[in-house]
Amino acid sequence: MKLSQFQRNVLRYIGIRCASFAVRILLKTLRIEIKNGDAIKKSVAEKKNFISAFWHGSMIIGWYIHRNENVAALVSQSKDGHVLAATLEKWNFHVVRGSSSTGGHDALYLMIDLIRENHSLTITPDGPRGPIYEMKAGAVVTAKKTNVPLFLVGIGIKRKAVLKSWDKFEIPAPFTKVTVIYSDPIWIEDSLSREETNKKIEECEALLNKLQKEALELC
């Protein structure tokens, strides 16, 4: 039987909601240990904006730990993005549909505007298409332009499934241990030259990879 467009849309909607529900149930079973989280916890408590950045493959945990915190997230317009957007909305994120893969400057201006509209921001700096573990400019430049601290987040999952995707997307096993390590707050001076900013991006990439390695070793 051939389905009408309306029927396909209804089934897609049901699938999105079921997937979103399953993700939320799974994450509630995890044992999450957070290290060096006092500074970002203070920012949340004092309602001061920040940027957190974690690798694309770890984003399910990276977003989960910032639910209900007045945080904005830029989510792609893809079909996969529909599932993610539905989940993030349940976690009280301010979800903006777009993509940094087209019109990089537009995405940067959007991120800056979200901070100036009094949202914190979560970023996957190697997304949406990689290369994996290579930091793009968005997190650092947004922190530079808005004068808010950048926190890099290493995320280690003890037992997980790893998808055969470019980002090696990680799905935690139920009840497994997760270790999250935050960097100290990183302040990016607006006076930095282009060359100095590029150097800072390289330093942040190296630090995020170091935190990721440490989190994996501790989980």
Side-chain angles (χ1 to χ4, degrees), residues 21 28 41 48 52 61 66 75 86 91-92 97 120 122 129 138 143 147 174 191 209 212 218:
F21 177 77
K28 286 181 179 180
K41 185 177 180 180
K48 293 182 178 179
S52 66
I61 301 296
H66 289 295
V75 178
W91 293 343
N92 293 320
R97 303 303 301 273
S120 292
T122 52
R129 297 178 181 173
N147 192 35
S191 61
N209 279 321
Q212 186 73 12
L218 291 172

Side-chain angles (χ1 to χ4, degrees), residues 19-21 23-24 82-92:
S20 176
F21 177 77
V23 168
R24 297 198 305 275
H82 296 334
V83 177
L84 177 58
T87 301
L88 293 182
E89 286 167 357
K90 290 291 185 181
W91 293 343
N92 293 320

Side-chain angles (χ1 to χ4, degrees), residues 94-115:
H94 178 70
V95 177
V96 179
R97 303 303 301 273
S99 177
S100 59
S101 63
T102 57
H105 287 294
D106 291 341
L108 176 61
Y109 294 142
L110 177 58
M111 290 188 288
I112 291 171
D113 286 344
L114 287 168
I115 294 287

Side-chain angles (χ1 to χ4, degrees), residues 6 15 27 36 52 59 64 83 94 109-110 137 154 159 170 189:
F6 173 76
L27 293 178
N36 198 38
S52 66
M59 65 182 177
Y64 181 67
V83 177
H94 178 70
Y109 294 142
L110 177 58
R159 292 184 296 110
E170 299 177 345
E189 296 179 12

Side-chain angles (χ1 to χ4, degrees), residues 91-163:
W91 293 343
N92 293 320
F93 276 79
H94 178 70
V95 177
V96 179
R97 303 303 301 273
S99 177
S100 59
S101 63
T102 57
H105 287 294
D106 291 341
L108 176 61
Y109 294 142
L110 177 58
M111 290 188 288
I112 291 171
D113 286 344
L114 287 168
I115 294 287
R116 290 174 176 168
E117 290 169 3
N118 201 32
H119 295 286
S120 292
L121 187 64
T122 52
I123 295 177
T124 53
D126 57 341
R129 297 178 181 173
I132 190 171
Y133 307 145
E134 291 186 17
M135 181 171 280
K136 296 183 174 68
V140 169
V141 174
T142 302
K144 174 183 174 181
K145 295 294 185 181
T146 58
N147 192 35
V148 299
L150 169 63
F151 292 90
L152 305 176
V153 192
I155 299 170
I157 304 172
K158 186 172 185 180
R159 292 184 296 110
K160 62 200 172 188
V162 181
L163 302 187

